[in-house]
Amino acid sequence: ISNHEPVVKEEVKKLSALDTNKTTLISDFYPTYLMKAFKPPFVLFHLGNYDLISNKMIGIVGKIDETKIKVLKFLASNQYVMNFKLSSMEDNDLELLQKNKIPCIIFCDDIMIVKQGSQYQKYLKEDNFLFLSETYMNSKNTSFLEYYINRIFVGHDLPIIIFDKSINDDLGLITYLNITKHKVYLYEQQHTKPEYDKHIGAVRINNFNDLKVVFINKN
């Protein structure tokens, strides 16, 4: 607990009156994968199926389309839940995930954006969605929101697959990966420099069969 993000007493008082689901670091339901992360947040706000938090997880960065669904289905069949950052997703991504029943956790800037957004309500009724945030109604410094999202998106020892995306396009995430030395799997990656792969300890995967081999061996 002494290593968690500092909590302002006034903010804690507001939490008790806040009408949304939340889990604190001292709760039995706090995700174990975050407990050993750098300064784990004291409170997490969530909407959707919280049971997904207890599964194996893998981060997904980059464009999602029909060609990537077979990868996500393969990972789901191996009991992985996909992690996404809402700020990096395109308009039809959630619909595509819902259509294919991909179990996923969506990390967002502010849980109230999801709770009050009409476009998200149909997803909150599905068992394969969980929305997670450590902020509500701009409760933290907005200049650090991307840092907060990356912290809980990456978590502790969470592997990442990057789809067709330059590492330079997500420097905040990659900087955090460098600091915490997480494993990264690059799939169909076209733009990164080889030294980046070596620097972050990534395993380059160029096709679906290679991906299957890596994860079958990993499991």
Side-chain angles (χ1 to χ4, degrees), residues 158-174:
L158 181 68
I160 305 288
I161 287 183
I162 301 177
F163 285 129
D164 301 323
K165 187 177 178 67
S166 169
I167 280 183
N168 288 319
D169 291 343
D170 206 340
L171 286 176
L173 169 63
I174 300 305

Side-chain angles (χ1 to χ4, degrees), residues 119-130:
Q119 70 271 40
Y120 301 114
Q121 300 312 303
K122 63 180 179 181
Y123 304 116
L124 297 179
K125 300 175 183 178
E126 301 291 333
D127 290 339
N128 59 304
F129 281 97
L130 170 64

